[in-house]
């Protein structure tokens, strides 16, 4: 651990912000901040992140700017027992990154087959909406990979987490958060 | 391999059932060690967040989930000290007398080897020990009288109150829900502040989780809790007539042995059979306590039929508790629905959060994009729901088996195979239909059923109790029929599931078993 002390790291981990590596050092940022600062991904390829952000934005407006890809990248790089993903309670078997890679591949392979070689992120908004609607109902032609409706459930849950599940998200909706023990103000 | 000093009792699992055994026996002066596979959670770890709350649930788990209705292991199970009772909702309904006599009265499933009257005093003791809020007198329309609860009912909120008119319209009587929460200060623990974060763990101790109740008592009486200790086998003497302790692995992978005079398996309904299977010897080739072949059989869950409604008014859905404000046993008769056999238990009034499985966003799983955002804005103050739990009857095909794949300690994984039968599906559907009838008389703006995949809530069976080894794994105290100093505790011992939340009964049965063990210690421990 370079730029932060371990005790600070643990305290931060317990309260909410996440550790991201930026310019060779670790910093404690929210996923939204990591996205805004264009922090390099640890585990995801750029094309994976592009697909995740496009899916997230289609599922829940605001997911891209809320740092959905950075949230997933950070969580997928942790040991499974430390990960905070809803995949954990949806019975996805670790390592979770395997599920996400298979899901992204399923989405982009199907998208290319159906849309003249274009990945999901390259589709227009209405095309993306229609694709997700078909995926939700297991109706994407030629789909190969984890079940489409399950991919929808997991990715939608991630998008809901980063947009509506944070203290910022509650505030934006106008719902009192009322914590016993507050996570970090952003999480 | 390290062999530890012999103790009187080793308890495998630091959840609801294990904590009771640890407390009772430690208070009796017994040397008790509790082995728990996960972290040693503290109240201060229980962050108010659905995202962070996932830390107290298992990551993957050693189970492969199969069948038409796979068990929702990740959401239901616990991981770490406190077990699933660290994040349970603390609804404290009881089983009713009819649950104990289904075979006698309907020629279905099994009778329990005990009656409601055998368990009833322990419900009352648990209520006094951990603190229960409710109106016992009001419940007497459905059950025999017992002691009053030590605290008055919890506060109610509009998200519960708005349903009362609908229940009255269809003739369903609702009473204050019995909950393991403090409506007033109790035994030095504060009263609930109704912020609705119960399901990720209550860090103020207003909710009766093991850390602030039995496990806390056990520790004060000298019990040692060892986190990050994964038990893989129960060990026996060469003759196979007595258990001698357990084998376990610490986090860094080192194998250890904990000798003990008595072993209590309290690792939940899924893990107890897995350990018993993996403890097979030449004297017990099918696994310990399994000469009948019934270990791992008769796994049961509850299903729920949720009905949602959006009201024009602010129903304060951010306030309250995750558990219920109102409950009813008016559909608890086994033949209440002509469409299918089995009890139903009705609850109403819950705090809602935005995300996670039970969150506002999942109230309409079909919506996404702008449609979802519009829904969130409409639902944020007006959404509320009711739920009806249904009873699944035990079938031997719903089971746990070991598979060839192994975990990091070389212990075989297991698969849980689970499918609902026609009765369950019929009762599930009937409860949806009744839920809609109720909702439509409330004056709500929109009402709908929360249909989706048939849910699997709670987990019971796998080490069922009965009168003898030919029909069960343990007796009514949790003592295995075949090995007198091996006990099994928890919901796995239920021979039928009832329809009400199981944890109050888990506490009560564990207290009954632990007190019997303490009272007959010299006979059992040798």
């Amino acid at each position: 651990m370079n730029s932060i002390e371990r005790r600070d790291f643990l305290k931060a981990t317990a309260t909410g912000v996440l550790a991201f590596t930026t310019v060779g050092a670790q910093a404690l940022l929210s996923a939204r901040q990591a996205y805004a600062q264009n922090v390099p991904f640890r585990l995801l390829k750029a094309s994976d992140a592009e697909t995740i952000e496009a899916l997230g934005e289609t599922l829940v407006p605001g997911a891209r700017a809320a740092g959905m890809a950075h949230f997933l990248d950070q969580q997928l790089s942790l040991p499974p027992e430390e990960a905070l993903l809803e995949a954990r309670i949806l019975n996805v078997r670790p390592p979770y990154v395997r599920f996400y890679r298979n899901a992204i591949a399923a989405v982009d392979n199907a998208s290319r087959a159906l849309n003249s070689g274009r990945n999901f992120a390259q589709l227009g908004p209405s095309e993306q909406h229609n694709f997700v609607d078909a995926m939700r109902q297991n109706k994407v032609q030629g789909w190969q990979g984890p079940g489409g409706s399950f991919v929808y459930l997991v990715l939608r849950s991630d998008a809901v987490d980063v947009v509506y599940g944070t203290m910022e998200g509650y505030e934006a909706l106008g719902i009192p958060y009322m914590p016993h023990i507050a996570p970090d103000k952003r999480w | 391999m390290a062999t530890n000093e012999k103790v009187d009792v080793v308890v495998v699992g630091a959840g609801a059932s294990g904590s009771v055994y640890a407390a009772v026996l430690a208070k009796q002066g017994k040397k008790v060690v509790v082995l728990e596979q996960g972290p040693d959670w503290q109240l201060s770890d229980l962050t108010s967040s659905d995202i962070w709350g996932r830390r107290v649930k298992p990551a993957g788990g050693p189970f492969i989930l199969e069948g038409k209705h796979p068990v929702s292991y990740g959401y239901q199970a616990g991981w770490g000290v406190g077990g699933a009772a660290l994040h349970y909702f603390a609804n404290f309904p009881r089983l009713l007398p009819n649950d104990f006599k289904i075979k006698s009265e309907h020629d279905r499933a099994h009778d329990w080897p005990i009656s409601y009257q055998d368990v009833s005093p322990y419900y009352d003791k648990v209520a006094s020990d951990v603190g229960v809020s409710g109106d016992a007198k009001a419940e007497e329309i459905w059950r025999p009288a017992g002691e009053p609860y030590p605290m008055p009912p919890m506060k109610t909120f509009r998200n519960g109150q708005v349903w009362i008119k609908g229940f009255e319209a269809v003739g369903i009587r609702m009473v204050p829900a019995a909950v393991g929460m403090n409506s007033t200060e109790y035994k030095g623990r504060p009263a609930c502040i109704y912020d609705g974060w119960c399901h990720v763990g209550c860090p103020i101790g207003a909710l009766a989780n093991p850390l602030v109740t039995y496990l806390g008592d056990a520790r004060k009486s000298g019990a040692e809790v060892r986190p990050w200790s994964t038990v893989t086998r129960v060990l026996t003497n060469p003759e196979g007539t007595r258990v001698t302790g357990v084998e376990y692995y610490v986090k860094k992978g080192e194998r250890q042995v904990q000798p003990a005079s008595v072993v209590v398996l309290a690792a939940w309904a899924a893990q107890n059979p897995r350990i018993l299977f993996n403890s097979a010897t030449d004297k017990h080739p099918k696994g310990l306590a399994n000469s009948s072949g019934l270990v791992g059989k008769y796994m049961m869950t509850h299903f729920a039929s949720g009905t949602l409604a959006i009201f024009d008014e602010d129903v304060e859905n951010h306030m309250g508790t995750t558990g219920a404000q109102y409950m009813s046993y008016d559909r608890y008769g086994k033949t209440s629905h002509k469409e299918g056999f089995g009890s139903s238990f009705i609850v109403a009034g819950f705090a809602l959060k935005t995300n996670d499985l039970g969150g506002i966003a999942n109230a309409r799983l079909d919506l996404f994009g702008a449609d979802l955002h519009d829904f969130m804005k409409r639902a944020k103050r007006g959404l509320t729901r009711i739920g009806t739990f249904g009873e699944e009857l035990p079938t031997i095909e719903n089971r746990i088996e070991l598979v060839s794949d192994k975990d990091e300690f070389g212990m075989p994984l297991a698969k849980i195979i689970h499918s609902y039968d026609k009765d369950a599906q019929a009762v599930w559907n009937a409860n949806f239909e009744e839920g809609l009838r109720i909702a439509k008389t409330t004056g709500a703006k929109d009402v709908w059923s929360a249909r989706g995949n048939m849910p699997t809530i709670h987990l019971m069976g796998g080490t069922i109790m009965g009168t003898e080894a030919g029909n069960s794994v343990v007796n009514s105290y949790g003592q295995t029929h075949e090995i007198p100093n091996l006990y099994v505790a928890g919901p796995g011992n239920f021979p039928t599931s009832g329809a009400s939340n199981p944890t109050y009964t888990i506490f009560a049965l564990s207290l009954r078993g632990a007190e019997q063990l303490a009272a007959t210690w010299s006979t059992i421990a040798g």
Side-chain angles (χ1 to χ4, degrees), chain B residues 130-135 149-156 177 179-186 189-194 205-207 321:
Chain B
V130 308
V132 173
S133 299
D135 184 346
Y149 293 124
M151 288 175 281
M154 303 284 282
K155 282 171 63 175
T156 60
V179 294
M181 302 178 199
N182 291 356
S183 60
T184 60
E185 186 179 327
Y186 190 74
R189 290 162 37 212
C192 176
I193 57 174
Y194 301 99
L207 184 149
T321 62

Side-chain angles (χ1 to χ4, degrees), chain B residues 238-431:
Chain B
E239 297 77 25
T241 55
R242 297 186 62 78
V243 297
T244 58
V246 298
E247 169 195 82
Y248 70 102
Y249 287 80
V250 296
K251 192 178 182 186
K252 57 190 175 185
E254 182 191 0
R255 177 175 177 262
Q256 302 212 6
V257 168
Q258 179 57 64
S261 299
V262 172
V263 173
V264 179
L265 282 184
W268 207 46
Q271 185 75 344
N272 288 339
R274 182 173 173 240
I275 294 171
L276 290 170
F277 285 137
N278 197 48
S279 304
T281 66
D282 58 338
K283 299 292 188 297
H284 299 277
K286 293 192 293 185
L288 297 186
N290 194 29
S291 64
S292 63
L294 291 179
V295 168
K297 301 296 198 302
Y298 299 117
M299 303 306 300
M300 296 166 281
T301 71
H302 291 136
F303 47 90
S305 309
T307 304
L308 294 127
I310 291 183
F311 288 80
D312 276 330
E313 67 170 297
D314 180 353
V315 297
E316 307 168 293
N317 57 12
H318 60 291
M319 293 290 290
T321 62
T322 313
Q325 296 166 32
Y326 301 96
M327 67 177 189
S328 177
Y329 288 95
D330 266 349
R331 297 291 180 266
Y332 209 81
K334 302 298 176 188
T335 56
S336 290
H337 291 299
K338 65 180 187 302
E339 296 88 345
F341 184 90
S343 295
S344 297
F345 175 71
I346 305 166
V347 287
F350 322 93
L352 294 175
K353 299 299 178 183
T354 58
N355 55 331
D356 213 71
L357 287 188
I360 295 172
N362 275 10
R364 285 290 305 269
L365 257 176
D366 57 318
L367 299 180
F368 63 95
D371 293 338
L372 174 60
H373 192 63
D374 288 345
F375 172 75
M376 294 297 288
K377 287 193 288 188
R378 285 190 295 122
K380 65 181 182 182
R381 289 298 179 91
L383 179 69
T384 176
R385 66 183 166 90
I386 57 174
T388 305
F389 291 102
E391 172 178 23
E392 179 182 23
L393 296 181
T395 58
I396 202 162
E397 292 79 15
N398 287 335
R399 64 194 188 276
I400 292 179
E401 296 176 352
L402 295 186
V403 299
S404 56
D405 288 351
K406 295 183 177 176
D407 67 13
E408 62 190 300
F409 307 116
M411 182 178 182
L413 307 181
K415 60 181 175 183
I416 309 175
I417 303 158
H418 178 264
S419 303
Y420 284 120
D421 65 11
K422 287 181 180 174
D423 275 308
Q425 295 180 55
V427 172
W428 188 53
N429 285 324
N431 285 330

